[in-house]
Structures are given as C-alpha cells and as structure tokens.
Amino acid sequence: MEIRLKQLHLENFKCHKSLTIAFDGRNTSIYGDNATGKTSIYDAFVWLLFGKDSAGKTENKYFKPVDKDGNVLDHQAITEVEAALLVDGEEITLRRTLREVWTTRRGDSEAVYGGNTSEY
C-alpha cells in the first residue's frame, strides 16, 4: 500500500489562523526560524490521525490558538485539520474538527463552558 500526502489544510490550529500546504505527493522540506509553526504543522497531521500532538499531549487546549500566557484566543473559533491523501492512487480526504460547547442556563446571563465536541 502506498500513501502520499497531497495537501494539508489547518484552520485555527495552534499558531496558524489558516494555512494550506500543497505537497502534491512529493517530498517536501519545511524550514524556518524557531517558533514560527513548523512543529505545529506536524502536530496538526498527528492530531488528525491520532488525536494527540507529536509529544503525546491529548488535551484539546493544546490545539487551539492561545496567547503568550496560554489563554485561548477565541473560544468560538473552530479548530480544523484536513488532509487530502493519495492511497494507491485514489484520493481520500480526512478531516477533524474541534469545537468548544458553551451553554447558557436558564436564569443565567453568562455562558458556561461545557467541554468540547469533535467531528471526523
């Protein structure tokens, strides 16, 4: 079985607001200065496949965009990673999304965080 990565798309994943990389099934080098998001690209692919980052962290807060103090920047933003793969010449698309669930209880004025939901 031959598997090639054709394209990877990230939305609101770690430091990347929106990023699309066209690999076209070829070898690709990703390089740049420290702290510019190279590892986040790898983390996105690992999260898509296995639900964790390259260091093995599975907590959803590690995948959402955060500020320098580690606080989530936008709780309404949907985190999404999508990959187009060529599997034995046939194109297959995989997608994982992460959305925070906020609810306002009757009689309350503020929404309360109720966890996360993922779609595959």
Side-chain angles (χ1 to χ4, degrees):
M1 176 181 289
E2 181 181 57
I3 301 174
R4 293 181 177 263
L5 181 57
K6 186 174 178 182
Q7 181 173 297
L8 186 66
H9 177 74
L10 290 64
E11 285 286 327
N12 300 309
F13 189 89
K14 291 190 170 188
C15 63
H16 298 289
K17 179 79 173 154
S18 181
L19 175 68
T20 300
I21 302 170
F23 295 96
D24 295 324
R26 298 186 311 256
N27 291 339
T28 303
S29 297
I30 298 174
Y31 54 90
D33 292 336
N34 289 341
T36 56
K38 299 179 302 293
T39 302
S40 294
I41 295 167
Y42 176 56
D43 285 345
F45 191 61
V46 173
W47 179 71
L48 171 66
L49 297 175
F50 306 111
K52 57 185 174 181
D53 69 6
S54 58
K57 296 177 185 170
T58 58
E59 291 183 57
N60 291 322
K61 68 179 182 179
Y62 292 115
F63 310 119
K64 300 193 77 57
V66 294
D67 63 17
K68 61 181 174 150
D69 297 322
N71 301 312
V72 174
L73 290 173
D74 182 0
H75 291 283
Q76 300 304 315
I78 298 171
T79 298
E80 179 179 277
V81 176
E82 180 176 293
L85 305 169
L86 291 174
V87 179
D88 290 334
E90 182 180 337
E91 187 167 325
I92 295 174
T93 301
L94 302 176
R95 180 183 312 125
R96 178 183 284 232
T97 61
L98 173 67
R99 179 187 329 246
E100 291 185 9
V101 177
W102 290 81
T103 56
T104 304
R105 294 187 179 124
R106 189 172 33 187
D108 289 343
S109 60
E110 293 191 25
V112 177
Y113 175 67
N116 297 293
T117 183
S118 288
E119 296 174 8
Y120 309 92

